[in-house]
Each structure stands twice: as structure tokens, then as C-alpha cells.
């Protein structure tokens, strides 16, 4: 059984790609207001809300459990509206030795296609694949869509 893996999911939304990308690019501090039942708090630990290398601490609920992560912005690709985050601390690392997630907003008509990618290495052979985190990302995406369409 492979210890490393990569999962992807795409979700089409009616909000423009630039606006969706901007939330994760420079306005992540709004996420606790946009989807307060899922994301409770995001704080900057190093850097700022926009710079590659910045470190943020997230408090969130997934599967009915309160958890937290500390992530750093590994890369920002303005042209492709893509951001990659690398997790350095938090409960997710109980199941994974390494964990990265990328969000990308691809223009499609008036809206966009949001692509989430999770790259991970399991801590043990019988550890879970992070399907619950992909589902979490899709529900957050839908909350952001609602927020942007009602703004």
C-alpha cells in the first residue's frame, strides 16, 4: 500500500475566479465570517495575509470535531489563480507525515471551476486517505460562492 498520495476534486461555482482567488490570496481573515460553522478563527503568526512564506493558524470543525492547523503559504501563482499551503502543525499531522493543499480558481464563463488538490504522506500504512478534507473544501467553496454572489 502506498504511503504517499494525491487527491483532487473540482467544483463549479457561479462566482468569478478572481474573486474566489482573492479570498485565499489576501482575505482569508474573512473566512470565519463566511463559513463560521466550519472555520472559527484564522490568525497570522508570521508575515501577513498576502505574502508567500506567511504562517497562519486555523481553528476549524471537521466531522464534528474541533481541530487546528498551522500552515505556511508555499507558493502563489497569480496567473493561474493558484495557492499552495503546507501544513507544519496540527491534528492532521497525527495521520500524515506531510500534508499540502492547493486551491485553484479556473475561469469558466461567468463563474469558475475551483480545483482542490491534497498531497500527503501517511504516517502509517493503514492511515486514512484525506477524503473528509476534500469534502470540507467543497463545502467551504460553496459557502464562499454564496458569500460572493450575495456581496
Amino acid at each position: 500500500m502506498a504511503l504517499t498520495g494525491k487527491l483532487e476534486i473540482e467544483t463549479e461555482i457561479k462566482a468569478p475566479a478572481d474573486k474566489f482567488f482573492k479570498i485565499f490570496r489576501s482575505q482569508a481573515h474573512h473566512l470565519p465570517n463566511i463559513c463560521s460553522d466550519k472555520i472559527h478563527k484564522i490568525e497570522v503568526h508570521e508575515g501577513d495575509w498576502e505574502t508567500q512564506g506567511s504562517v497562519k493558524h486555523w481553528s476549524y470543525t471537521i466531522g464534528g470535531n474541533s481541530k487546528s492547523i498551522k500552515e505556511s503559504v508555499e507558493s502563489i501563482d497569480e496567473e493561474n489563480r493558484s495557492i499552495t499551503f503546507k501544513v507544519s502543525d496540527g491534528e492532521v499531522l497525527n495521520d500524515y507525515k506531510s500534508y499540502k493543499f492547493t486551491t485553484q480558481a479556473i475561469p469558466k464563463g461567468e463563474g469558475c471551476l475551483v480545483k482542490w488538490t491534497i498531497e500527503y504522506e501517511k504516517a502509517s500504512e493503514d492511515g486514512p486517505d484525506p477524503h473528509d478534507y476534500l469534502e470540507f473544501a467543497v463545502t467551504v467553496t460553496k459557502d464562499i460562492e454564496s458569500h460572493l454572489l450575495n456581496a
Side-chain angles (χ1 to χ4, degrees):
M1 177 180 246
L3 291 179
T4 59
K6 182 176 181 177
L7 296 175
E8 296 180 336
I9 195 163
E10 295 178 346
T11 304
E12 191 169 337
I13 63 173
K14 294 176 183 165
D18 288 334
K19 288 186 177 185
F20 183 88
F21 175 69
K22 188 176 181 180
I23 294 286
F24 286 94
R25 172 70 174 94
S26 60
Q27 299 176 340
H29 55 282
H30 291 299
L31 288 171
N33 294 326
I34 294 170
C35 46
S36 60
D37 60 324
K38 295 168 198 71
I39 300 173
H40 311 295
K41 184 169 33 169
I42 305 174
E43 298 174 324
V44 172
H45 277 262
E46 296 174 30
D48 56 33
W49 291 105
E50 300 186 32
T51 309
Q52 185 170 321
S54 293
V55 177
K56 295 177 219 64
H57 182 261
W58 298 55
S59 298
Y60 61 98
T61 297
I62 186 167
N65 298 309
S66 294
K67 297 186 179 194
S68 67
I69 61 166
K70 188 181 285 185
E71 54 80 359
S72 60
V73 178
E74 187 172 85
S75 65
I76 301 168
D77 182 340
E78 297 281 346
E79 185 178 336
N80 291 307
R81 295 171 194 86
S82 174
I83 302 176
T84 299
F85 304 90
K86 182 177 182 180
V87 176
S88 60
D89 194 14
E91 290 86 354
V92 72
L93 294 181
N94 293 338
D95 291 323
Y96 308 100
K97 287 182 183 177
S98 65
Y99 190 95
K100 283 198 291 192
F101 61 99
T102 301
T103 185
Q104 181 181 13
I106 304 160
K108 186 173 181 183
E110 301 274 319
C112 69
L113 189 64
V114 176
K115 181 178 180 179
W116 288 94
T117 305
I118 299 174
E119 296 177 72
Y120 59 95
E121 180 181 0
K122 293 180 184 181
S124 65
E125 265 190 48
D126 58 346
D129 291 321
H131 292 286
D132 52 344
Y133 281 91
L134 277 184
E135 292 171 23
F136 179 83
V138 169
T139 60
V140 167
T141 299
K142 292 296 187 178
D143 287 349
I144 294 169
E145 175 188 34
S146 295
H147 169 78
L148 292 173
L149 293 177
N150 293 321

